[in-house]
Amino acid sequence: MTAYIIRRLFYTVPIVAGVLLLTFVLFNLVGGDISLEIAGKNATQETIDEIRHEYGLDKPLFLSLDSQFVNHFKNALVFDFGRARDREPVIDKIKRGIAPSLSITVPMFFGVVFISVSLALLVAFVRGSAWDSLTLFICVAGMSIPYLSFILFGQYFFAYKWGFFPIYYTPGLSLYEYAALPVLIGIVTGIGSNLRFYRTVMLDEMKSDYVRTAFAKGLSTRKVLFKHVLKNAMIPIITRVVLAIPYLFLGSLLLERFFGIPGLGYLMIEAIGSRDYFIINAMTYISAILFVLFNLTTDICYALVDPRVSLD
Amino acid sequence: MLKKVFLFITILSSCLFLIVGCGKDDGEQTSSDNVIHTALTGKITGLDPANMRDWSSGVVAGNIFETLYQYHYLKRPYEAIPLLAESMPIISDDGLTYTIKIKQGVLFHDDKCFPDGRGRELVAEDFIYALKRIANIKNISQNWSMFDNKILGLDEFREYTKTCKTRDEVDYSWQVEGLKAVDDYTLVIKFKRRWPQFIYILTDPSTTAIAKEADDMYGKDIIAHPVGTGPFKLKTWHRGSYIELVRNPKFRGELYPSEGEPGDEEAGYLDDAGKPMPFVDGITWSIIAEQQPAWLLFMNGQIDSKAIPKDNFGEAIDSSMELTDQMEALNIRLEKFSDPSTYFVGFNMEDQLLGNNKPLRRAISYAVDRKRFIDLFSNNRNIVADGFLPPLMASYNPEIKKKGYAEYSNEKAKQLIEEAEIINKGKIPLLKLGMPGTGTSYRQMGQFLKKCFNDVGLEVEMLYMDWPTYLEKKNSKSLQMFVSGWIATVPDARDFLEIFYSPYWKAGTKSFNYYNPQFDKLFEQVEVMPDSGERRELYRRMEMVVMDDCPAVFINHRVSYVLKHSWYKNYKPHVFQYGLAKYRRLDCAERANYKQFLKKVK
């Protein structure tokens, strides 16, 4: 397994390098020059030139040891993303945004996984019944309603009209106060698609011979469902669950924006709006690394839960 | 078994709901404190006065830093009065030298950049240091264009900073001929040529005093460590989320104005006349990019004032453009005020087709239905731009409407297009109009303008682009037409006129690329004239020169509608919104009662 992990880690190098190349081409060649915008109105050419100098935009693009491209690589390797457009170090912004983002995405993640898997087991067991149909109907309805509608509805009724939750993040609110409503909305919107997926997985398992054998042997429903069916359904569950983890670090763009949670999702959406390439570049790079690492984690988990899978 | 699991999930969900739902009532936290709560839609980019041009940063910094002069809070038209200056400047006979006496005993905020952490006394040298920081090219200040080629020796200092490799290398003891501190409390500024608008520049947050100790200690991070002399100091800045200022306990004290304009007394704006300011203990701005949460917070009494979002306009304002009964019942007040702004469709006068074809430009002007535009995109709030100087300006020409520059007439447009086609020796080809955004509102505006063009037989392609791309294209003169606007930063029409003065736009960023020698000559004449009836007449003449050349379709001037709660006192609209929190007062008891009142109404 160690050899496999080392080999896979080596594979990450060209992938991450590819991402760096892509971001460089997108932001430096296609995206255009940002110095004019930074310079403000009535800026003279010399001011614009000085900005280009400060941000290293006056250096050659490729063919030099001190080129923009080489510096882009070098800085990324040591996680030095420079300063954002407002002159604050990008890494400080990211560090500050991680906790607020995780404070909503982690409970959302566990809430969605726990509720979806549990309900999926149950509705798979009672497949074809009115409960199954009702659950399916609610899932499809939930998936069909735009995410933004849940946010607007939740904020208006649960926060403003009925006063159960704060409307927006304000100084002095504790974590459970400001994160509660976004988490609840995140769970409600996430359940539809997840439950449908897990239900399908469970149904496939339910049709297996070993389930019939288990019942024939007189095992209880609880044992069949939780000890056998759930364990055998773990491969698709792990694939979905582990690959969702990198998204937790990216935060939730809309929820953070509407509830004023100063996380990475909010940071990213603002960076896109203001074309702050320094932030977008850093977030893209970190995301790429996280995706590669969690892909590897997924493979390792396969081997741990299923003895038929060998990583050698 | 199944029942047990369902029961478990039901209980779990209920617990989650109850636990999180029983948190502190969000209204309570704001009801008793003597702190102004308000919202900003744009994020604060930095609190370094030398490098701050965005509105949000200026509004916040204006309460931390102080300038030599400020606008009278109540009097209109806007009048500059001393703030950190002891009196109005003594101006030499030739108008080239300003001698400014500075108040004694003014202290900087306590900060660790000073010995023992105690703020030292403000001296004249701090203003000189601030101006040199703007000139220092290593600081890449967005404010330099204001001072370019104005103060004796300052351009030479800028040239010197170009020879330095880093900002730390710059020696601020380098003598600038036009900036002298005769003593700690006397500042003398000499100009290359007359600069009558300078008094307004001295009200701008960029010219505030900077303590060298703060710059030395914080370097580039000074943007997050503002050390001023103002009534409030920074408590917390959670970037992108909120910023809190608290009262500066060492503030020297300033009295609320005792004079205003007619009607101020009746409106209650003089209730606190002569009382020491500030009245509140602090200010908190939440950064709220989306309109719904900001609106709900306002309606919930958690923020004290709010501009009316487009989508909530009908809820707040009735057909007679006054408050609805619902708002009246909540004791909400409406304030309306004109901005010194003009929005337009600009023409690139160096474009071969448009630049050489005045009938075509005029035809486009006739084709745009300004009233409908205002109705659709500003809920009928804004006013038609008959010229390009807003009515707020003293030099606004009330007779300009009679000239008919803003007339909407498809017939006249079509006639002019016939003339334009003769000049063009053929049909007018496809025109291209750049929009400074890609969002829904820009696309809606684009659709409307396209229809106006199409109605008179002109074909136009709308180019929706993000802001930086738009700027780049405009500056490289590659946009044929563009939607844009201009907001004056001082109450002087020169701010508008300079965008048409060719030496300025040639040296700086480009827009209309307009060139008219007659206009340039008039501009050079008025630029050095002090405010007078003669200068106002010349401003009007210059406006007519531009309007006759038609380098743009001037569409509207913005009128802001702001709602405020009744407990928010002394809220007189002011278009130059720097350092106004000190005037504002809160009736905390009334704010506390609102929550109970709201429960009944809901």
Side-chain angles (χ1 to χ4, degrees):
Chain A
M1 187 185 280
T2 314
Y4 175 81
I5 292 171
I6 293 169
R7 199 165 62 239
R8 282 291 303 268
L9 284 175
F10 272 114
Y11 290 165
T12 63
V13 176
I15 295 170
V16 173
V19 169
L20 282 173
L21 177 65
L22 200 67
T23 50
F24 179 80
V25 170
L26 277 176
F27 299 150
N28 294 63
L29 300 182
V30 181
D33 195 340
I34 54 165
S35 49
L36 249 178
E37 195 192 351
I38 297 174
K41 80 172 186 182
N42 290 341
T44 55
Q45 190 55 45
E46 61 182 17
T47 305
I48 294 165
D49 291 343
E50 190 62 30
I51 292 166
R52 291 178 55 77
H53 177 68
E54 169 146 335
Y55 286 97
L57 301 173
D58 56 344
K59 291 179 178 169
L61 274 171
F62 289 104
L63 300 172
S64 160
L65 279 175
D66 190 31
S67 68
Q68 292 181 48
F69 183 63
V70 173
N71 288 331
H72 179 71
F73 258 80
K74 277 198 296 198
N75 295 338
L77 287 177
V78 293
F79 290 89
D80 174 10
F81 303 111
R83 284 178 182 260
R85 291 272 301 278
D86 62 7
R87 298 191 178 183
E88 188 190 15
V90 172
I91 199 73
D92 288 354
K93 284 181 182 290
I94 292 174
K95 280 182 196 165
R96 196 174 53 236
I98 287 175
S101 278
L102 291 182
S103 72
I104 61 165
T105 53
V106 169
M108 264 163 56
F109 171 75
F110 282 110
V112 167
V113 171
F114 175 77
I115 296 173
S116 304
V117 172
S118 309
L119 281 179
L121 262 175
L122 295 176
V123 294
F125 182 68
V126 293
R127 65 187 177 280
S129 69
W131 281 109
D132 184 29
S133 305
L134 180 69
T135 310
L136 261 182
F137 175 77
I138 293 171
C139 285
V140 173
M143 288 163 67
S144 312
I145 299 169
Y147 193 39
L148 189 60
S149 306
F150 281 101
I151 295 176
L152 295 175
F153 178 90
Q155 193 170 49
Y156 184 81
F157 286 101
F158 289 100
Y160 171 66
K161 204 79 182 168
W162 300 326
F164 293 153
F165 305 95
I167 294 169
Y168 199 77
Y169 176 75
T170 45
L173 285 180
S174 60
L175 168 73
Y176 80 92
E177 284 176 309
Y178 76 75
L181 184 57
V183 167
L184 205 62
I185 292 173
I187 290 174
V188 169
T189 51
I191 283 177
S193 58
N194 278 286
L195 179 51
R196 277 197 69 198
F197 173 80
Y198 295 129
R199 178 184 169 275
T200 311
V201 170
M202 300 301 176
L203 277 180
D204 284 345
E205 288 302 322
M206 289 286 196
K207 288 173 192 162
S208 304
D209 280 344
Y210 74 86
V211 175
R212 197 178 306 115
T213 309
F215 277 121
K217 280 168 69 181
L219 288 179
S220 66
T221 309
R222 183 164 60 95
K223 268 197 173 170
V224 174
L225 287 181
F226 290 98
K227 197 170 177 186
H228 298 286
V229 174
L230 187 58
K231 197 169 180 186
N232 280 287
M234 280 314 264
I235 291 280
I237 292 176
I238 283 172
T239 310
R240 195 171 174 96
V241 167
V242 180
L243 287 181
I245 293 175
Y247 288 106
L248 305 185
F249 292 91
L250 294 177
S252 173
L253 301 187
L254 278 178
L255 280 174
E256 289 182 16
R257 192 173 164 92
F258 270 83
F259 289 97
I261 295 164
L264 296 178
Y266 201 165
L267 177 69
M268 189 70 170
I269 208 164
E270 276 203 341
I272 293 166
S274 59
R275 223 169 69 147
D276 197 328
Y277 292 156
F278 309 101
I279 295 174
I280 303 171
N281 178 45
M283 291 290 287
T284 313
Y285 175 64
I286 290 171
S287 310
I289 291 176
L290 287 174
F291 273 102
V292 169
L293 289 179
F294 278 97
N295 251 314
L296 175 61
T297 311
T298 312
D299 289 350
I300 294 167
C301 287
Y302 288 162
L304 293 177
V305 300
D306 191 341
R308 291 169 299 182
V309 178
S310 167
L311 296 181
D312 292 323
Chain B
M1 166 67 199
L2 202 61
K3 278 181 186 169
K4 279 182 186 170
V5 175
F6 269 119
L7 190 66
F8 172 72
I9 290 168
T10 312
I11 292 170
L12 187 80
S13 313
S14 308
C15 285
L16 178 71
F17 226 92
L18 281 173
I19 289 169
V20 297
C22 291
K24 191 170 22 172
D25 192 336
D26 44 77
E28 284 174 19
Q29 67 174 31
T30 62
S31 59
S32 56
D33 53 355
N34 189 20
V35 173
I36 296 171
H37 293 271
T38 187
L40 289 171
T41 48
K43 70 173 184 177
I44 300 150
T45 55
L47 298 171
D48 176 8
N51 212 348
M52 188 174 65
R53 290 286 356 136
D54 65 289
W55 185 82
S56 299
S57 305
V59 164
V60 174
N63 294 292
I64 300 172
F65 295 98
E66 290 179 297
T67 43
L68 283 164
Y69 297 91
Q70 64 180 339
Y71 294 108
H72 195 287
Y73 182 54
L74 300 176
K75 287 183 182 173
R76 304 289 181 275
Y78 292 95
E79 179 190 317
I81 56 169
L83 179 57
L84 286 178
E86 190 68 54
S87 55
M88 294 306 282
I90 300 161
I91 304 170
S92 63
D93 290 343
D94 60 6
L96 294 176
T97 306
Y98 276 45
T99 304
I100 299 167
K101 286 281 180 190
I102 293 161
K103 279 180 183 155
Q104 297 186 19
V106 176
L107 298 176
F108 278 106
H109 298 158
D110 288 346
D111 191 274
K112 63 181 179 183
C113 68
F114 300 113
D116 303 328
R118 288 184 181 177
R120 66 160 169 80
E121 190 181 10
L122 171 88
V123 291
E125 197 63 49
D126 296 317
F127 291 98
I128 295 177
Y129 183 72
L131 291 174
K132 284 181 177 172
R133 284 186 77 234
I134 293 171
N136 179 359
I137 197 158
K138 299 298 170 199
N139 282 330
I140 44 179
S141 169
Q142 293 186 23
N143 298 316
W144 170 246
S145 61
M146 282 197 284
F147 301 94
D148 193 5
N149 202 25
K150 296 278 194 332
I151 296 174
L152 268 179
L154 197 58
D155 297 81
E156 286 75 9
F157 175 76
R158 186 170 172 85
E159 287 303 313
Y160 150 69
T161 61
K162 286 180 191 170
T163 63
C164 301
K165 282 185 181 159
T166 63
R167 64 198 295 277
D168 296 331
E169 257 185 45
V170 175
D171 176 11
Y172 280 96
S173 64
W174 213 88
Q175 290 300 306
V176 171
E177 191 187 342
L179 295 172
K180 287 272 184 303
V182 177
D183 56 49
D184 279 353
Y185 310 109
T186 311
L187 176 67
V188 177
I189 302 172
K190 289 182 181 172
F191 304 111
K192 291 181 175 176
R193 56 200 166 104
R194 281 171 180 258
W195 190 10
Q197 296 82 15
F198 186 62
I199 191 75
Y200 300 131
I201 301 296
L202 292 177
T203 66
D204 190 277
S206 62
T207 58
T208 189
I210 296 288
K212 187 173 186 304
E213 296 91 329
D215 196 22
D216 289 343
M217 172 166 274
Y218 299 115
K220 280 186 177 177
D221 290 327
I222 197 171
I223 55 169
H225 296 92
V227 182
T229 60
F232 299 97
K233 53 192 282 189
L234 181 65
K235 180 186 173 196
T236 318
W237 180 17
H238 199 128
R239 291 194 196 211
S241 179
Y242 66 89
I243 189 161
E244 290 178 290
L245 305 189
V246 289
R247 186 198 284 256
N248 168 20
K250 290 190 174 174
F251 185 57
R252 66 187 180 285
E254 193 188 343
L255 302 180
Y256 189 89
S258 301
E259 293 175 349
E261 60 176 349
D264 280 352
E265 192 154 8
E266 294 75 19
Y269 294 136
L270 285 167
D271 289 354
D272 292 311
K275 290 182 185 168
M277 302 185 292
F279 300 109
V280 296
D281 296 332
I283 321 151
T284 301
W285 286 273
S286 295
I287 316 298
I288 310 178
E290 295 295 336
Q291 290 293 356
Q292 167 161 307
W295 177 251
L296 296 181
L297 283 173
F298 173 74
M299 294 301 290
N300 219 30
Q302 288 178 265
I303 54 179
D304 301 314
S305 65
K306 172 86 188 83
I308 309 172
K310 194 158 64 80
D311 294 339
N312 299 96
F313 196 78
E315 188 183 341
I317 304 294
D318 63 19
S319 54
S320 61
M321 301 306 276
E322 294 301 331
L323 280 176
T324 56
D325 293 343
Q326 186 198 347
M327 295 291 125
E328 296 272 11
L330 292 170
N331 275 333
I332 287 169
R333 308 275 188 268
L334 171 67
E335 298 285 355
K336 301 176 190 176
F337 61 102
S338 287
D339 273 349
S341 61
T342 306
Y343 296 87
F344 48 80
V345 175
F347 301 126
N348 175 3
M349 296 293 280
E350 288 188 5
D351 178 74
Q352 285 297 313
L353 173 65
L354 283 167
N356 299 322
N357 203 327
K358 189 167 155 185
L360 176 58
R361 300 196 300 271
R362 287 186 56 212
I364 295 171
S365 179
Y366 277 120
V368 176
D369 186 351
R370 293 160 176 84
K371 282 186 180 161
R372 184 73 182 133
F373 183 93
I374 290 167
D375 182 31
L376 282 173
F377 302 111
S378 70
N379 304 101
N380 223 5
R381 270 178 279 193
N382 295 352
I383 49 175
V384 169
D386 295 304
F388 67 84
L389 293 181
L392 191 76
M393 295 286 168
S395 46
Y396 173 72
N397 182 1
E399 300 296 311
I400 200 161
K401 191 174 183 178
K402 293 177 186 163
K403 295 280 178 184
Y405 294 122
E407 188 184 344
Y408 168 59
S409 167
N410 282 350
E411 289 70 36
K412 285 183 181 173
K414 283 174 186 170
Q415 281 171 18
L416 283 164
I417 287 170
E418 284 173 18
E419 280 181 49
E421 285 177 341
I422 294 166
I423 295 171
N424 192 49
K425 293 174 184 162
K427 200 171 159 32
I428 302 297
L430 178 73
L431 297 164
K432 293 185 178 179
L433 173 54
M435 300 293 289
T438 56
T440 312
S441 57
Y442 286 108
R443 289 186 185 274
Q444 289 169 340
M445 272 183 214
Q447 283 295 323
F448 175 81
L449 290 170
K450 189 173 184 178
K451 184 181 175 298
C452 289
F453 278 69
N454 293 163
D455 284 350
V456 295
L458 292 172
E459 292 298 322
V460 63
E461 183 187 352
M462 310 306 296
L463 308 170
Y464 301 97
M465 54 194 90
D466 59 53
W467 178 241
T469 309
Y470 168 85
L471 274 184
E472 194 179 332
K473 286 189 180 295
K474 191 151 74 84
N475 201 44
S476 61
K477 302 179 181 176
S478 53
L479 284 182
Q480 192 178 37
M481 295 184 288
F482 50 92
V483 166
S484 187
W486 195 260
I487 301 172
T489 50
V490 297
D492 188 317
R494 182 200 172 280
D495 225 27
F496 275 91
L497 296 165
E498 72 170 25
I499 52 177
F500 301 104
Y501 179 55
S502 65
Y504 279 172
W505 65 254
K506 279 177 184 166
T509 44
K510 321 287 185 285
S511 52
F512 307 100
N513 309 314
Y514 171 78
Y515 173 63
N516 182 327
Q518 186 198 356
F519 179 88
D520 285 356
K521 203 174 163 191
L522 284 168
F523 187 88
E524 283 153 19
Q525 188 185 339
V526 295
E527 198 182 23
V528 294
M529 284 173 72
D531 187 22
S532 63
E534 188 190 354
R535 191 178 74 169
R536 283 196 285 274
E537 274 311 308
L538 281 171
Y539 277 168
R540 288 171 186 169
R541 214 172 117 197
M542 291 165 74
E543 183 185 24
M544 300 291 262
V545 170
V546 172
M547 294 307 293
D548 282 338
D549 283 338
C550 195
V553 180
F554 298 101
I555 298 177
N556 61 18
H557 306 296
R558 192 169 60 191
V559 177
S560 293
Y561 278 44
V562 176
L563 298 180
K564 67 169 184 104
H565 286 287
S566 54
W567 62 73
Y568 198 25
K569 308 291 183 186
N570 300 336
Y571 186 92
K572 182 166 181 175
H574 199 293
V575 294
F576 306 105
Q577 302 186 20
Y578 305 126
L580 302 185
K582 64 186 175 189
Y583 299 105
R584 307 276 160 78
R585 182 168 57 80
L586 296 167
D587 184 334
C588 296
E590 198 181 336
R591 181 152 76 176
N593 290 335
Y594 181 77
K595 194 73 189 172
Q596 297 304 321
F597 178 62
L598 194 65
K599 269 184 188 166
K600 288 181 201 163
V601 177
K602 276 182 185 174

